[in-house]
Amino acid sequence: MHASLDSFVDMFYWQAIEDPEQRKACHAFGVSIFHRGLPLIIAGGHLVIVDHVFERQSWYDECLAAAQEAGILLVGVRCPLEVVEQRERTRENRRNGLARSQFNVVHESKPYALEVDTSVLSPEACAKVIVDCLVSDT
């Protein structure tokens, strides 16, 4: 199961929300319901990949609490800024410059049980590293 913050935030019809303050409130609400729903999603008994960008320390803290409660592994997924910006340019649902603005914040002061670098490992190799870590902990 893939639980993505974007899925919750993108539930809004953003084209109809012009007021910047209302847009911020809607985004905050989407983040909030995602965090509040994580324990339920995790408790469902399925393997879950939680896809999140920790723009704020509080977001990481809330996810860390849910992870510790459920006994899951927090994995930092990294790559160099140049790679992130190149990927951003090829995605249709990203505003150019977002990756650069988030780059130094998303991992700062956020320890993970494991980290992978997607600029040197394929998605399959990253998944193998994660699975191997999970298997070795059991």
Side-chain angles (χ1 to χ4, degrees):
M1 177 179 230
H2 178 218
S4 171
L5 173 63
D6 287 349
S7 296
F8 282 73
V9 172
D10 289 346
M11 286 190 226
F12 292 96
Y13 185 64
W14 291 108
Q15 297 86 332
I17 306 170
E18 295 179 12
D19 177 58
E21 290 304 312
Q22 187 178 11
R23 289 177 72 88
K24 285 170 69 174
C26 290
H27 186 269
F29 179 74
V31 172
S32 175
I33 61 172
F34 180 63
H35 290 170
R36 290 170 48 200
L38 275 178
L40 293 173
I41 294 168
I42 294 166
H46 303 283
L47 295 176
V48 180
I49 295 173
V50 177
D51 180 358
H52 203 315
V53 175
F54 298 122
E55 291 180 32
R56 299 188 182 141
Q57 184 66 38
S58 62
W59 295 0
Y60 172 83
D61 295 340
E62 290 169 10
C63 288
L64 180 61
Q68 289 174 335
E69 183 178 310
I72 64 174
L73 181 72
L74 275 179
V75 178
V77 179
R78 297 178 181 262
C79 65
L81 178 59
E82 301 76 32
V83 175
V84 176
E85 288 179 320
Q86 176 57 39
R87 291 174 181 170
E88 177 181 68
R89 285 189 289 274
T90 64
R91 291 181 68 176
E92 295 178 6
N93 65 341
R94 288 290 183 260
R95 174 179 48 88
N96 282 340
L98 181 62
R100 180 174 287 276
S101 71
Q102 295 174 334
F103 189 79
N104 289 322
V105 176
V106 297
H107 296 294
E108 180 182 27
S109 302
K110 296 170 185 83
Y112 300 102
L114 176 67
E115 294 189 24
V116 294
D117 184 338
T118 61
S119 69
V120 295
L121 295 176
S122 68
E124 296 79 12
C126 289
K128 182 174 180 350
V129 169
I130 295 166
V131 168
D132 289 350
C133 181
L134 288 169
V135 169
S136 71
D137 285 346
T138 57

